[in-house]
Amino acid sequence: MPKGNLYVVSGPSGAGKSTICRLVRKMLGINLATSATTREPRTGEVDGRDYYFLTKEEFLKKRENGDFLETATVHGNYYGTLKSEVENRMVKGENVILEIDVQGGLQVRDQYPGANLIFFKTPTENDLEARLRGRKTDSEETIQLRLANSIKELEYEKEYDITIINHTVEQACNELKKIIEEKSK
């Protein structure tokens, strides 16, 4: 039975991963595997669509049961990808995009060596800060934490197959779309 391709998209908060993945997913009809998290939902986010919002206890129980493909602690919250989210789709021959933390990306590669790891970043750190502030969803403390973590996350870029520098939404979408289309031939 043919299997779909697995794409792992990672990079610092504010690099545009969510926006780009959402647009490319629409263009190509690709499912974005829904991650689980213990963080609180942002305005407009829906449980089961944007994330599976779990309590810390629920998350830890699922992790203990081996239900996750990868997990990470990011900005003080747990995140993870349920194995069932990926495997059910890939068995059907569907392509799947995981939008996850850099640590999780490397965990996925260990379990799926054929996964395509794509790293997103902004042209400069100033661009990253401007994008984080432009969201108007995070406190100053959270923004500072995300900026500090982004410097650490940039060190993982060399572990990824491809880097996309998000100068504009259109350019980054076109690059990601081209990568997926070429790998799907």
Side-chain angles (χ1 to χ4, degrees), residues 19-163:
T19 300
I20 303 306
C21 285
R22 185 171 48 252
L23 292 170
V24 169
R25 192 170 52 95
K26 252 186 201 177
M27 287 182 223
L28 299 177
I30 295 176
N31 291 310
L32 174 67
T34 304
S35 296
T37 185
T38 59
R39 79 158 169 77
E40 291 296 314
R42 292 185 183 126
T43 303
E45 288 183 328
V46 176
D47 183 52
R49 181 191 73 191
D50 299 292
Y51 285 93
Y52 294 109
F53 293 100
L54 305 176
T55 65
K56 183 178 178 182
E57 293 74 24
E58 291 169 328
F59 190 98
L60 294 174
K61 183 166 179 75
K62 284 185 178 298
R63 187 172 73 179
E64 184 180 307
N65 291 339
D67 294 339
F68 288 107
L69 178 60
E70 57 79 32
T71 63
T73 305
V74 183
H75 311 304
N77 294 298
Y78 290 103
Y79 288 81
T81 302
L82 293 162
K83 287 180 183 177
S84 60
E85 278 287 305
V86 173
E87 292 170 355
N88 291 341
R89 292 176 177 157
M90 288 184 68
V91 164
K92 294 176 193 172
E94 296 176 16
N95 289 328
V96 177
I97 295 175
L98 298 182
E99 182 192 319
I100 56 177
D101 161 85
V102 291
Q103 302 158 40
L106 299 181
Q107 291 174 43
V108 170
R109 173 169 276 157
D110 289 344
Q111 293 192 49
Y112 287 96
N116 302 281
L117 272 62
I118 303 164
F119 191 86
F120 266 74
K121 67 180 187 179
T122 56
T124 68
E125 285 183 36
N126 287 341
D127 292 324
L128 181 65
E129 183 172 357
R131 289 180 189 181
L132 287 173
R133 291 189 185 286
R135 286 180 175 174
K136 300 185 191 272
T137 57
D138 296 319
S139 67
E140 180 62 25
E141 182 181 337
T142 299
I143 289 170
Q144 291 303 319
L145 178 62
R146 289 182 187 275
L147 287 170
N149 286 340
S150 73
I151 293 167
K152 294 176 195 164
E153 290 172 335
L154 288 170
E155 294 174 12
Y156 287 88
E157 178 183 355
K158 65 185 178 291
E159 302 293 331
Y160 278 65
D161 303 316
I162 299 166
T163 296

